[in-house]
């Protein structure tokens, strides 16, 4: 984050119970922003006490207001999450070359796989394509419920013209179908 100018009015808000997409835990969400020309510009955000304390640190030297309007905070959170979800979906990455030659991938046939980080929601979802010599992370997402999971599976099938996709679960470093 950059230092804050004193001529701009900043807003700091904390919503008590939001999903952290990294840890998949619900915790306090804090956000620091300013408004200009009827547009909000987020300076920084974070989850949990330590990250929120960092936001307070940047506010100490400038004028700011505390926002307690949960709808405004929820709208900012949703906007951030929507952008994260789209970026995660667009991210395509080839895993290390040796990955295709190690278990469990070595024994698996070429094809498309959906990996779930766990069997309960929320969860991380990865759409993976295995070829003979490579493993590609094609898409990633955070699913908070069954509807989102179903929507991402349908989107993957449509995007890649797939008729079937294998749903698997990651457990303790292994893959289980």
């Amino acid at each position: 984050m950059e230092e804050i100018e004193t001529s701009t009015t900043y807003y700091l808000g904390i919503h008590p119970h939001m999903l952290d997409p990294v840890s998949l835990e619900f915790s306090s969400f804090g956000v620091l922003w300013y408004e200009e020309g009827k547009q909000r510009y987020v300076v920084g955000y974070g989850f949990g006490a330590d990250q929120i304390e960092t936001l307070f640190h940047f506010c100490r030297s400038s004028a700011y207001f505390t926002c307690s309007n949960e709808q405004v905070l929820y709208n900012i959170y949703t906007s951030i999450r929507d952008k994260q979800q789209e970026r995660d979906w667009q991210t395509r990455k080839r895993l290390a070359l040796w990955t295709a030659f190690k278990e469990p991938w070595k024994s698996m046939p070429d094809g498309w796989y959906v990996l779930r980080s766990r069997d309960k929601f929320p969860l991380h979802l990865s759409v993976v394509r295995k070829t003979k010599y490579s493993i590609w992370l094609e898409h990633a997402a955070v699913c908070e419920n069954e509807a989102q999971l179903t929507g991402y599976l349908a989107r993957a099938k449509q995007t890649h013209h797939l008729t079937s996709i294998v749903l698997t679960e990651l457990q303790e470093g292994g893959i289980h179908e």
Side-chain angles (χ1 to χ4, degrees), residues 10-30:
Y10 292 85
Y11 300 89
L12 178 67
I14 300 171
H15 195 291
H17 189 73
M18 302 302 286
L19 177 66
D20 176 351
V22 175
S23 70
L24 298 177
E25 299 294 327
F26 287 89
S27 65
S28 294
F29 167 73

Side-chain angles (χ1 to χ4, degrees), residues 7-177:
S7 62
T8 303
T9 301
Y10 292 85
Y11 300 89
L12 178 67
I14 300 171
H15 195 291
H17 189 73
M18 302 302 286
L19 177 66
D20 176 351
V22 175
S23 70
L24 298 177
E25 299 294 327
F26 287 89
S27 65
S28 294
F29 167 73
V31 62
L32 176 66
W33 76 94
Y34 66 93
E35 296 179 0
E36 190 175 279
K38 296 183 181 184
Q39 180 77 24
R40 284 189 188 119
Y41 296 92
V42 173
V43 176
Y45 65 91
F47 294 89
D50 291 343
Q51 292 182 6
I52 292 172
E53 179 60 33
T54 301
L55 295 174
F56 275 113
H57 169 75
F58 284 97
C59 290
R60 288 189 183 122
S61 62
S62 66
Y64 76 94
F65 292 102
T66 301
C67 175
S68 58
N69 183 326
E70 287 191 3
Q71 186 60 49
V72 169
L73 298 172
Y74 180 78
N75 289 345
I76 294 171
Y77 169 83
T78 301
S79 174
I80 290 168
R81 289 284 294 119
D82 288 347
K83 289 174 186 169
Q84 287 173 337
Q85 292 275 43
E86 193 53 38
R87 185 184 66 235
D88 289 347
W89 187 259
Q90 298 299 328
T91 300
R92 184 172 189 257
K93 177 181 169 182
R94 182 179 179 176
L95 301 185
L97 182 62
W98 55 266
T99 305
F101 301 102
K102 289 182 67 179
E103 293 298 343
W105 294 108
K106 179 180 176 181
S107 305
M108 297 172 76
D110 291 359
W112 289 82
Y113 297 86
V114 175
L115 306 178
R116 294 170 52 139
S117 62
R118 58 188 181 183
D119 62 356
K120 65 178 185 157
F121 293 102
L123 57 85
H124 289 118
L125 183 79
S126 301
V127 177
V128 178
R129 182 171 51 100
K130 182 199 183 288
T131 67
K132 186 174 182 175
Y133 299 112
S134 64
I135 308 291
W136 288 88
L137 173 63
E138 296 286 346
H139 307 287
V142 172
C143 297
E144 295 184 46
N145 53 49
E146 190 70 37
Q148 286 182 343
L149 175 77
T150 303
Y152 284 119
L153 292 176
R155 186 175 178 187
K157 287 179 180 179
Q158 180 183 12
T159 300
H160 300 287
H161 310 292
L162 303 173
T163 56
S164 69
I165 195 163
V166 178
L167 184 59
T168 59
E169 187 175 326
L170 291 174
Q171 290 181 344
E172 311 238 350
I175 297 175
H176 302 279
E177 293 188 48

